[in-house]
Amino acid sequence: MKNIKEVLSDLSFFSDMSDEMLEFIAACGQNMHFSPDEYVGRESGSADYLFVITKGNIAVQLEHPTKGTFTIRSLHDGEIAGFSWIIPPYRMQFDLKAREHTSVVALDAGCVRKKCEEDHHLGYLMMKQSAIIMNKRLEDTRVQLMDIYSGRV
Amino acid sequence: MNGSPWNPVLYKVSSKSIENADLLTFELDPVGDEAIDPIAPGQFNMLYAFGIGEIPISVSSILPSYPTLVHTIQDVGRVSKSLIQLPVGDIIGVRGPFGPEWPVAQVKSKDVLLIAGGVGLCPLRPVIEYILDHREQFGEVNVLFGTRHPDNIIYHRDIISWQSDPSINFQITVDHAFPSWRGNVGVVTHLIDKAKFYPENTISFLCGPEVMMRFGIYACLDAGISEDMVYLSMERNMKCAIGLCGHCQVGPYFTCKDGAVFPYTMMKPYLNISEL
C-alpha cells in the first residue's frame, strides 16, 4: 500500500512540487474512508480539509428547501474536493457526499495554509493548481448553464 | 442511389419503440420490390410524411437484414410529430441515402473517441455497432455520452450492453440528476479524463448540439488529438438533400451534400459565426 506522499506524487496537482514540498504537504495528510451516502463535508461547515480522492466517488450537492437534493458534479479517483479550504472564511459551500465506498487523503487545511504561508513557492504551486481546477469547474458550470443538450442534432 | 434522388421510395413502419418522452425508434421495410441503397454510418435519409413534409433523419442502427431501415426520430416539429404518430403498418416515403459516412472503416488500428450529446448518440450508434463488429481492427475505443437528465438516456438495452463490454469504455454523464443517481454528473467534456487513448493515434467523432460539439472539439484538441483527426456531424435545415436549394448552406458547403459528417478542418472557420 502506498504512503500518503506516494499517493500525492501520482497526481498532476502535485507534479510540480519538489520532494521536500511533497514531504511537507504529506505530513498534513491522513487517510479517511467513507461509506455510501456518508457525508464527507457539509455546507456551512468549517472547511477543515482538502480532500484528494484515492478511490470512489463523491457527489457535490446542494439542498433545495422544496425541490430536494441537487447533484451539481461528481468527483472521482484522482480528483480534488473541498476548495473552500483556501478561501476565507473557510466555510464549505456545498455538501460532499460519498456515493460508494470512498477513500480520500484528507489534508488538514490549517496545516497546509500554515505551510503555504511559510513557503510562498509552495503556496504559489498550491494556488496555481487550485486555480486551474477551479477555473475548469467554473467553465464547466457555465457550459451546464447553457443547457447544451437542448438543441436539435 | 437507386432511381432519381427526388422520388421517394415507399416504406412501411414495421415497428416502433419508445426511447424516452419525445423520442421513438422506427424500423421501416420497403412496401414493394424497390428499396433505397444500403445506408452507412453517418448517412441520412429524407423521411416524407405524406401531405405534411419531409425531414432528414440519420440512420441510427444498421441491421444485417437489408433493406430494413432504423431511424430514431425526435418530436421537434410538425413533420417529426406526424411521423412519430404514425401507427405500425402505415406508409412513408424515403429518399436517400445522402451524405458522406463517418470514416470509421478507414481508420483501422487507431484509438477511437466518440463524444455524443443528447440525441447525438443516434447517428453514432451505427459507428459503435461497426466497431464492435470489427473490434480487432481498432485500438482503444471510448464513447462519452452526455445528456441533460437520467430520464433523457436512450438505447437503454444497448447502453447496458456497452457498459458491461470490457472491449469498450462507455461513460455517461448527466447535467442534472435525481438524488438516487449514482453515475457521473457534469458536462460531457469532463469525461475525457476517463477516456483511454494515445492522442497521436486517435480519431474522434462528435455528434450533438453545436455548442456541445464546439466544447467537445476544444477538449479533444486540448488532449492532444490532431485537428485533422476530428470529425463532426452538422445539423442544418435540409430541404432538397442534394445541394440545390441552399437552405442548409454553411459557408461554401451544403450540409446535405458535403455533410452532414464533416472533418473539423472544413467547419473550423464557421463554427463560431453567429446564426450562420
Side-chain angles (χ1 to χ4, degrees), chain A residues 1-14:
Chain A
M1 188 179 165
K2 289 181 176 177
N3 63 34
I4 289 176
K5 183 184 164 195
E6 288 166 336
V7 169
L8 299 183
S9 68
D10 286 344
L11 302 174
S12 61
F13 187 94
F14 300 97

Side-chain angles (χ1 to χ4, degrees), chain B residues 251-270:
Chain B
Y253 304 113
F254 295 100
T255 307
C256 67
K257 182 170 69 76
D258 304 311
V261 173
F262 286 96
Y264 167 59
T265 46
M266 275 172 79
M267 280 296 108
K268 185 179 175 184
Y270 312 106

Side-chain angles (χ1 to χ4, degrees), chain A residues 36-37 57 61 69-76 79 98-100 136 140 143-144 146-153, chain B residues 76 117-120 146-148 175 179-188 190 194 207-209 211-212 215 235:
Chain A
D37 293 329
N57 173 358
Q61 296 183 327
T69 306
F70 286 82
T71 298
I72 299 157
R73 173 91 181 210
S74 56
L75 301 170
H76 302 266
E79 292 192 282
R99 306 314 305 267
E100 56 191 73
K136 183 77 183 73
D140 287 353
V143 172
Q144 270 177 289
M146 290 174 73
D147 195 13
I148 56 171
Y149 306 118
S150 63
R152 294 170 60 182
V153 171
Chain B
V76 290
V119 292
T147 192
R148 190 190 269 174
D175 269 356
S180 60
W181 171 256
R182 303 223 166 231
N184 298 304
V185 179
V187 291
V188 68
H190 174 218
K194 291 172 173 280
C207 190
V211 176
M212 180 235 104
F215 285 95
E235 168 76 8

Side-chain angles (χ1 to χ4, degrees), chain B residues 135-147:
Chain B
R135 186 62 190 87
E136 71 289 348
Q137 296 178 2
F138 298 90
E140 301 282 354
V141 177
N142 304 274
V143 183
L144 312 181
F145 173 44
T147 192

